[in-house]
Amino acid sequence: MIHDYLQRGVASGLVAGLAYGLYMVLVGNPLSGYVDAVAAGPDGHASEGAGHVVSETMTAAVSATSGVLWGILLGGVFAIAFYFLEPALPGRGDVKAYVLAGAGFLSVSVTPWLVFPPAAPGAVQRYGIDTRIAVYLGLVVVGVGLSALAIGAYKRFARRHLGLGILAGAAPILVVAVVLTTLAPTVVTHPDLPADLVAAYRGLVILTQAALWALIAGTFTRLRRRADRDRSTRPTGEALSDI
């Protein structure tokens, strides 16, 4: 059974990764190039000629490949988590998958970004790469615990009233967001970029990662419904052999 979940998860991650890789090639990389040019200022000189074309081609290829691999990784993790956690997730049917996708987005992206927001080209980092990775992984663990706490609070209070459950689930997320943004030092700065450009760049990164998780959940549920339809149309003996 877990094999079926994992197979759908990898397929969903592949679809989401292809979409994300295409976005990076068509939008993400040109935007990063523009931001980099702004950071370089009027005295900066863009490289030209064949070497520049080769560099852009290599960047596009690496970005597309990275996007696909990132999507497959998230899809596989999503499938394994969904296999074990599905009974504990709130909601019915496809809603469970989207709840888990939201928890994944909160854990992997949102919580770490409260301390290490997305860095645009030309950013100045206060800490070294080893420190950033260690803190990021620790914040992912915090995000997982926060997601579990929010889901548990929602399930407990939603029995009385749906609105009360939503408020109870949102409360720990808001508390952690306020605490981290208040206590965390400024670790990423963009001295050479306008604040509105940095905000737009970060907003686009957040939206694309949210869309990636939503596409994984949507594709996963679609593949699952298709498998359920195929199973229901098969003879009883063949369907029972898959269990």
Side-chain angles (χ1 to χ4, degrees), residues 20-233:
Y20 182 62
L22 185 63
Y23 158 80
M24 288 300 300
V25 171
L26 298 179
V27 179
N29 289 345
L31 176 61
S32 296
Y34 170 75
V35 174
D36 195 26
V38 173
D43 295 332
H45 299 283
S47 59
E48 299 177 354
H52 180 53
V53 174
V54 172
S55 176
E56 287 187 340
T57 303
M58 288 297 297
T59 300
V62 170
S63 298
T65 302
S66 300
V68 171
L69 294 177
W70 178 238
I72 292 175
L73 174 62
L74 292 183
V77 172
F78 174 89
I80 295 174
F82 194 65
Y83 176 80
F84 290 104
L85 299 177
E86 183 177 4
L89 293 171
R92 298 179 180 178
D94 297 348
V95 174
K96 291 178 177 287
Y98 288 100
V99 170
L100 181 60
F105 177 57
L106 175 65
S107 303
V108 175
S109 298
V110 176
T111 303
W113 282 340
L114 295 174
V115 178
F116 292 105
V124 177
Q125 300 283 354
R126 181 174 180 177
Y127 300 106
I129 183 64
D130 293 338
T131 300
R132 298 203 302 270
I133 292 176
V135 175
Y136 172 83
L137 294 177
L139 289 170
V140 170
V141 174
V142 172
V144 171
L146 178 60
S147 298
L149 180 61
I151 291 174
Y154 168 83
K155 292 175 62 177
R156 180 177 180 180
F157 288 93
R159 299 169 186 170
R160 306 177 186 176
H161 190 275
L162 178 61
L164 188 60
I166 294 175
L167 289 175
I173 298 176
L174 293 176
V175 169
V176 171
V178 170
V179 170
L180 286 181
T181 53
T182 301
L183 299 181
T186 301
V187 297
V188 181
T189 58
H190 299 82
D192 300 321
L193 292 175
D196 56 348
L197 180 58
V198 174
Y201 183 90
R202 288 175 172 175
L204 196 57
V205 171
I206 293 171
L207 287 176
T208 53
Q209 289 301 309
L212 181 65
W213 281 101
L215 187 54
I216 289 174
T219 307
F220 185 90
T221 56
R222 185 178 181 87
L223 292 175
R224 188 180 188 183
R225 288 197 301 268
R226 180 183 297 177
D228 290 341
R229 286 197 304 268
D230 293 342
R231 190 178 295 109
S232 65
T233 58

